[in-house]
Amino acid sequence: MDNNVLAKVEGIEITKEHLMNIMRSLPQQQMMEVSTVEGRKRLLDELVAAELFYLEASSNKLEDEEEFKKILEEATHSLLQRFAIQKLLEKVTVSEEDMKKYYDDNRKSFVSSEEVKAKHILVKEEEEAKRIRKEIEEGKPFDEAAKEYSTCPSKEKGGDLGFFGKGRMVPEFDKAAFELKIGELSDIVKTQFGYHLIVVEEKKEAAIKTYEQVKEQIRQNLLRNEQTKVYTNKFNELKDQYSVEINEDALK
């Protein structure tokens, strides 16, 4: 059997590609469950079972039953609705010229906020924070102190919190971090989580993002707007073309 073929059921092939496509379509939790070898085996068993039930249904002529015909008609109706909308909207495009014009006309809406890159040490008691601060002032590297004493998960990275903008942290921490100079060790900062020591490593001033930085965002926004216009125009056109009766009283 071809290595790409995982199973055959009365000549119907179940391929690796088929299995992977199903895995990718699953919710995150289910995808994790089938990511192991055992999980993929269970999924393959389900696919084999599905083909066996299909063969059984065909041999019993279930497709001729009125109940199945009704289900098939409803499914076809729904699929045609979605396919018609898909065909309509796939023609919609946005030009580079329109994207650049939108960027130029709306530059102020693409301002990135001021950010700082900071690291911290978090402990439960103020006296402990005082002792650690003294050790750092006497030469102990901040990263080492964070790994040794901090109760925050960031301790594994020497207390590194990465870049963050104003309002991302609790108010007391936020105020202290944005007032510090680069490389300056903060005083002890009390928050609802405990007592912090903070050092700011870098600062980014507020600035207008470049066109390249927001190009995809603009494209998506304009595309959605254009698709909405096309959809609405076609909807109104079809309402004039076909008979439509709406009973709003029945909604109450």
Side-chain angles (χ1 to χ4, degrees):
M1 192 183 296
D2 187 332
N3 281 339
N4 190 48
V5 177
L6 299 174
K8 282 186 181 180
V9 182
E10 285 293 309
I12 301 170
E13 294 184 345
I14 301 173
T15 64
K16 286 182 180 179
E17 183 181 7
H18 184 196
L19 187 78
M20 293 305 296
N21 285 340
I22 290 175
M23 287 176 65
R24 282 192 285 266
S25 69
L26 294 173
Q28 185 67 29
Q29 182 59 40
Q30 286 180 263
M31 190 188 297
M32 294 288 288
E33 291 172 2
V34 298
S35 63
T36 63
V37 173
E38 287 303 315
R40 290 196 293 274
K41 285 180 181 178
R42 288 195 300 273
L43 180 57
L44 180 58
D45 281 343
E46 290 178 19
L47 296 179
V48 169
E51 294 300 345
L52 290 170
F53 279 109
Y54 167 78
L55 292 169
E56 175 75 359
S58 295
S59 68
N60 291 328
K61 303 291 185 183
L62 293 186
E63 68 270 22
D64 293 333
E65 293 192 7
E66 288 304 313
E67 185 180 356
F68 174 77
K69 289 179 180 179
K70 184 179 179 182
I71 293 171
L72 181 61
E73 184 181 351
E74 290 173 353
T76 301
H77 186 90
S78 178
L79 286 170
L80 273 174
Q81 289 174 335
R82 283 184 281 171
F83 188 64
I85 294 171
Q86 177 186 317
K87 295 292 285 182
L88 173 69
L89 299 184
E90 70 184 14
K91 302 172 186 176
V92 181
T93 59
V94 177
S95 71
E96 189 81 13
E97 182 181 355
D98 286 340
M99 290 163 62
K100 287 180 176 176
K101 184 178 186 307
Y102 184 88
Y103 175 76
D104 290 336
D105 292 345
N106 298 275
R107 283 176 179 267
K108 290 182 180 179
S109 64
F110 298 114
V111 176
S112 60
S113 62
E114 180 185 359
E115 292 184 330
V116 295
K117 183 175 187 292
K119 51 190 177 183
H120 81 138
I121 297 169
L122 172 64
V123 292
K124 292 182 178 180
E125 303 296 333
E126 185 176 10
E127 287 305 313
E128 185 180 8
K130 288 179 180 178
R131 177 179 57 76
I132 295 168
R133 191 176 193 282
K134 185 177 180 183
E135 286 186 30
I136 294 171
E137 286 180 326
E138 292 175 350
K140 189 179 186 74
F142 191 96
D143 292 19
E144 287 183 19
K147 290 177 181 178
E148 187 175 346
Y149 303 121
S150 184
T151 61
C152 177
S154 65
K155 66 183 291 182
E156 301 301 328
K157 299 181 292 184
D160 187 15
L161 297 171
F163 277 101
F164 55 88
K166 284 186 176 179
R168 288 279 303 279
M169 302 296 181
V170 292
E172 303 90 343
F173 190 102
D174 195 77
K175 183 175 184 296
F178 279 90
E179 287 180 353
L180 283 173
K181 296 176 182 177
I182 293 176
E184 180 185 2
L185 178 63
S186 73
D187 290 329
I188 295 167
V189 179
K190 183 182 179 182
T191 72
Q192 66 199 70
F193 302 107
Y195 296 87
H196 306 255
L197 294 171
I198 309 167
V199 168
V200 170
E201 295 184 306
E202 292 182 51
K203 289 190 176 187
K204 288 182 181 178
E205 299 298 327
I208 295 176
K209 295 178 182 177
T210 66
Y211 172 69
E212 288 302 321
Q213 287 176 307
V214 297
K215 180 178 179 179
E216 185 57 25
Q217 177 187 337
I218 293 173
R219 191 184 76 80
Q220 291 296 335
N221 287 342
L222 292 182
L223 190 60
R224 276 194 296 271
N225 291 342
E226 286 304 309
Q227 287 177 336
T228 300
K229 288 179 188 175
V230 169
Y231 176 89
T232 303
N233 289 339
K234 187 65 176 179
F235 172 58
N236 290 329
E237 177 189 322
L238 292 172
K239 280 201 299 183
D240 292 335
Q241 185 176 344
Y242 297 99
S243 171
V244 177
E245 295 181 25
I246 296 175
N247 182 7
E248 292 187 359
D249 289 338
L251 293 173
K252 298 176 183 176

